[in-house]
Amino acid sequence: MTMAMSIAQFTFFSRATSSSFLNRTNARFNRFTFSTPFSTADATCTRKKNGRLPVLSALELGGVKIARDDVVRDDPTNNVPDSIFSKLGMQLHKRNQHPIGILKNAIYEYFDANYSNKFDKFDDLCPLVSVKQNFDDVLVPADHISRSYNDTYYVDSQTVLRCHTSAHQAELLRDGHTHFLVTGDVYRRDSIDSTHYPVFHQVFVASHYLQPPNFFFLGFFLRFWSIHSYTLLLEMQMEGFRVFSPEEWEASGLDGTSYAAGDLKKCLEGLARHLFGAVEMRWIDAYFPFTNPSFELEIYFQEKWMEVLGCGVTEQEILRNNGQLDSVAWAFGLGLERLAMVLFDIPDIRLFWSNDERFTSQFTKGKMGIKFKPFSKFPPCFKDMSFWINESFTENNLCEVVRGVAGDLAEEVQLIDNFTNKKGMTSHCYRIAYRSMECSLTDEEINELQRKVREQVETKLNVELR
Ligand code: DAH
């Protein structure tokens, strides 16, 4: 199962989310700047014994101040927790000495060198987008699971935290861009894990795409029965897009779609070689709402096939709706963390968010070959909790509560037991692993976290603790 899962990987494209303040900031070219008050190293762990970053009261989007209360509200149409608000705008991809920034720059370098600087680059588009941008503009069906509150962070019924950088395709096309790269943070509601790749998450995600409805149920089934669920609340993504005019393919004797598909594959194979060296690659047919045909590129790396990105020839409807009547185009989307984990040997996704100098000091601007040397890891501490679930219970909601209390100290939430009694009541037992990357946690600290988790699980999720 794990093997099968690893094929599907990072392409959730899954969920995401606009409102009155969107009108103010109105999307697209809002520059997203943010000054982080917690930039110092944390080797002594003094900052956050509960694993959470301090919650800011405001940040800046495109020169407009956004108050926390604009994004996190006690309102049924809002499901953005403080833990997510505190991560908004951290902009890992803009730190030139950070693995994510180094990788982004290496990809820019490839496109600049091979396309004479023709690709326009956007790396500070506001992550708050309208439902239209995130879903409608890229043809995500109205009943697609990714639109649910369980999968996407909604600021209100019309505004979401983007779940993929594809959310910016339409506006950039309308603005006349024909070659572009968009890098940014994307948000998805999901479960918690830490030490592995977000494989399961990704399968679930990909399952949304693979010919609904059957694969949706497969995804659900896998998720339900798999012991592990993986966290990727926040991922750094890059979208690439290239438009061709008729003269470009007519001379080749091919039709527009075949021409674009061939060019796309050539471009991405070159990118993979630029990043990974001489690797074996293969193309897998895929499904995305916004491209047809669609593909995934896998590379053989460290004795495993690993998915690197999703891509395809853009649906004509997207081009037509956005002022590109006679053109064809290709697009791709890739997850920067998973590539960076492989390229820099980074074992735990949480490290990307760490300000610990033992992590940050290991990387150098412009240097791709560096391998991360792990620093001592503190042992995990496990706590179990059982409760009778109700009809509205979801693992994502449980994980949100755990994360709300323990922040990054919650390494994994695992379903370890599950039964239904004669009265038809279903019990779940979850094992929570607490671990700090940066210091040892005392028994008292863990017990206090677990006490709070239990309390909030009971009150917020309305379940009966056992
Ligand atoms: N938006 C997809 C995701 O987040 C990734 C993707 C796949 C982007 C295929 C594309 C594409 O532009 O053509 O999972």
Side-chain angles (χ1 to χ4, degrees):
M1 197 146 81
T2 318
M3 293 270 292
M5 289 191 224
S6 63
I7 295 173
Q9 248 267 51
F10 82 97
T11 45
F12 151 102
F13 137 46
S14 4
R15 20 132 153 225
T17 68
S18 159
S19 82
S20 52
F21 86 68
L22 244 211
N23 299 339
R24 261 198 275 146
T25 63
N26 203 355
R28 64 162 253 223
F29 295 102
N30 295 326
R31 297 298 173 204
F32 191 173
T33 50
F34 175 77
S35 56
T36 164
F38 37 79
S39 56
T40 51
D42 193 26
T44 51
C45 232
T46 49
R47 156 166 57 95
K48 38 162 188 160
K49 272 296 182 195
N50 64 0
R52 285 176 297 164
L53 299 169
V55 176
L56 301 164
S57 58
L59 50 84
E60 225 177 89
L61 293 173
V64 179
K65 273 238 158 90
I66 304 297
R68 170 192 169 274
D69 298 350
D70 284 334
V71 181
V72 182
R73 283 200 302 262
D74 193 12
D75 173 319
T77 65
N78 182 294
N79 61 358
V80 184
D82 272 324
S83 53
I84 285 294
F85 182 73
S86 65
K87 292 221 159 68
L88 276 179
M90 282 185 71
Q91 310 260 60
L92 296 183
H93 61 293
K94 294 176 92 172
R95 301 189 196 166
N96 290 330
Q97 298 193 5
H98 188 282
I100 299 293
I102 298 169
L103 174 57
K104 180 194 81 171
N105 290 334
I107 300 175
Y108 279 5
E109 203 179 270
Y110 171 79
F111 279 92
D112 284 346
N114 288 281
Y115 298 89
S116 330
N117 299 316
K118 254 188 130 174
F119 276 78
D120 300 324
K121 302 175 194 84
F122 299 90
D123 66 3
D124 56 359
L125 300 182
C126 178
L128 286 157
V129 299
S130 63
V131 165
K132 176 174 175 296
Q133 290 172 293
N134 199 75
F135 297 120
D136 305 341
D137 285 353
V138 284
L139 314 181
V140 175
D143 57 353
H144 197 279
I145 183 78
S146 63
R147 293 181 181 245
S148 76
Y149 272 69
N150 191 50
D151 283 25
T152 290
Y153 286 109
Y154 279 79
V155 171
D156 61 41
S157 64
Q158 297 306 312
T159 315
V160 295
L161 292 177
R162 68 182 165 217
C163 69
H164 56 167
T165 43
S166 309
H168 299 287
Q169 282 185 8
E171 52 188 304
L172 290 168
L173 277 172
R174 281 198 300 278
D175 213 53
H177 297 282
T178 56
H179 296 65
F180 54 86
L181 299 171
V182 179
T183 313
D185 36 349
V186 301
Y187 298 81
R188 297 149 186 200
R189 292 192 79 218
D190 211 340
S191 318
I192 301 180
D193 179 295
S194 57
T195 51
H196 310 88
Y197 285 124
V199 173
F200 182 73
H201 164 83
Q202 297 299 11
V203 167
F204 179 63
V205 162
S207 68
H208 298 324
Y209 293 103
L210 301 168
Q211 306 311 345
N214 303 351
F215 280 89
F216 164 62
F217 290 114
L218 173 64
F220 183 76
F221 181 82
L222 288 174
R223 158 167 282 220
F224 190 77
W225 289 106
S226 165
I227 299 289
H228 295 267
S229 312
Y230 293 80
T231 306
L232 252 203
L233 298 173
L234 165 50
E235 193 190 4
M236 303 304 301
Q237 260 195 4
M238 188 187 289
E239 186 86 5
F241 205 97
R242 178 179 186 184
V243 180
F244 299 88
S245 53
E247 313 79 74
E248 291 178 85
W249 72 81
E250 277 165 7
S252 73
L254 295 171
D255 63 275
T257 302
S258 313
Y259 183 83
D263 186 85
L264 171 68
K265 289 184 172 176
K266 207 169 76 200
C267 166
L268 294 173
E269 286 170 12
L271 175 63
R273 272 192 298 272
H274 177 70
L275 298 176
F276 291 92
V279 283
E280 219 186 311
M281 303 176 210
R282 68 182 185 189
W283 289 97
I284 309 284
D285 289 337
Y287 167 84
F288 300 103
F290 23 87
T291 46
N292 186 18
S294 305
F295 314 101
E296 283 164 0
L297 174 62
E298 294 185 5
I299 61 167
Y300 199 68
F301 191 77
Q302 292 173 349
E303 294 171 27
K304 275 197 286 270
W305 284 104
M306 182 184 93
E307 185 190 331
V308 177
L309 51 81
C311 63
V313 179
T314 302
E315 284 286 0
Q316 275 299 312
E317 194 181 335
I318 297 178
L319 295 171
R320 265 200 319 271
N321 290 346
N322 298 288
Q324 288 287 347
L325 298 185
D326 305 313
S327 315
V328 297
W330 56 238
F332 70 84
L334 53 80
L336 292 170
E337 280 91 351
R338 61 181 315 270
L339 292 188
M341 284 174 95
V342 171
L343 289 163
F344 295 93
D345 262 357
I346 295 170
D348 190 314
I349 199 158
R350 291 176 303 168
L351 282 163
F352 289 119
W353 299 96
S354 169
N355 285 315
D356 190 319
E357 258 176 21
R358 290 170 297 173
F359 175 75
T360 56
S361 65
Q362 293 197 28
F363 306 98
T364 310
K365 180 177 171 188
K367 270 201 154 170
M368 283 291 289
I370 294 172
K371 298 293 177 201
F372 172 68
K373 288 183 217 62
F375 45 86
S376 68
K377 212 172 167 181
F378 299 92
C381 174
F382 299 98
K383 293 280 172 193
D384 294 351
M385 69 185 295
S386 301
F387 48 85
W388 300 107
I389 63 165
N390 55 30
E391 275 175 6
S392 59
F393 174 80
T394 70
E395 276 190 13
N396 283 357
N397 290 341
L398 169 68
C399 289
E400 199 90 285
V401 169
V402 176
R403 224 178 273 119
V405 172
D408 289 345
L409 299 181
E411 178 167 284
E412 185 168 33
V413 176
Q414 240 183 341
L415 179 63
I416 54 168
D417 189 32
N418 171 12
F419 70 88
T420 303
N421 72 8
K422 285 196 192 123
K423 291 193 206 146
M425 292 163 73
T426 299
S427 164
H428 281 188
C429 179
Y430 287 92
R431 175 159 297 166
I432 306 175
Y434 296 98
R435 180 187 343 226
S436 169
M437 302 297 294
E438 299 164 357
C439 63
S440 296
L441 298 168
T442 65
D443 280 350
E444 293 84 65
E445 284 163 350
I446 306 267
N447 288 340
E448 181 56 13
L449 288 174
Q450 181 72 359
R451 190 190 62 72
K452 285 198 187 135
V453 166
R454 287 179 64 86
E455 197 179 279
Q456 293 198 17
V457 163
E458 191 168 30
T459 53
K460 294 193 171 164
L461 304 183
N462 261 324
V463 299
E464 196 185 323
L465 295 179
R466 303 183 52 221

